[in-house]
């Protein structure tokens, strides 16, 4: 019942939530990039493609922890390459 009350307090809260699936893929991206793989190569992995829709993959590139771990230039290049 507490969940229902929280929905009434903020009916649009679902728009700003992250799925645990996205969290796992973000951790995978960071781990694989630290191993030396390029971001575009990792984004084309079946692991990533099977777990996130294209829009979710794009949204993943906006996560601050990913930008910090991968670098602004790498994320910007991936956005340009995908757009």
């Amino acid at each position: 019942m507490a969940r229902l009350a929280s929905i009434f307090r903020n009916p649009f809260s679902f728009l700003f939530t992250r799925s645990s699936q996205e969290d796992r893929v973000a951790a995978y991206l960071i781990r694989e990039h630290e191993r030396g793989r390029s971001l575009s190569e990792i984004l084309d992995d079946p692991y990533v493609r099977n777990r996130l829709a294209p829009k979710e993959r794009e949204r993943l590139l906006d996560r601050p922890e990913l930008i910090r771990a991968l670098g602004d230039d790498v994320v910007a290049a991936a956005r340009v390459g995908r757009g």
Side-chain angles (χ1 to χ4, degrees):
M1 197 67 181
R3 182 169 162 77
L4 186 60
S6 68
I7 290 174
F8 286 123
R9 274 193 298 257
N10 190 357
F12 300 106
S13 63
F14 69 92
L15 293 173
F16 306 106
T17 60
R18 293 180 177 164
S19 71
S20 61
Q21 188 79 340
E22 282 185 33
D23 292 337
R24 286 191 294 274
V25 173
Y28 175 79
L29 282 170
I30 292 169
R31 185 173 56 249
E32 291 298 312
H33 190 265
E34 287 173 350
R35 290 180 178 164
R37 295 180 62 198
S38 71
L39 181 58
S40 60
E41 180 184 354
I42 302 166
L43 288 172
D44 286 333
D45 275 359
Y47 178 85
V48 176
R49 287 183 294 143
N50 291 337
R51 283 161 179 77
L52 299 178
K55 290 288 182 191
E56 292 171 320
R57 280 183 255 153
E58 289 176 21
R59 188 173 61 214
L60 202 61
L61 296 176
D62 291 331
R63 294 180 80 155
E65 67 272 17
L66 252 170
I67 293 171
R68 262 190 307 279
L70 305 177
D72 294 327
D73 54 337
V74 173
V75 173
R79 283 186 184 136
V80 170
R82 298 255 174 220

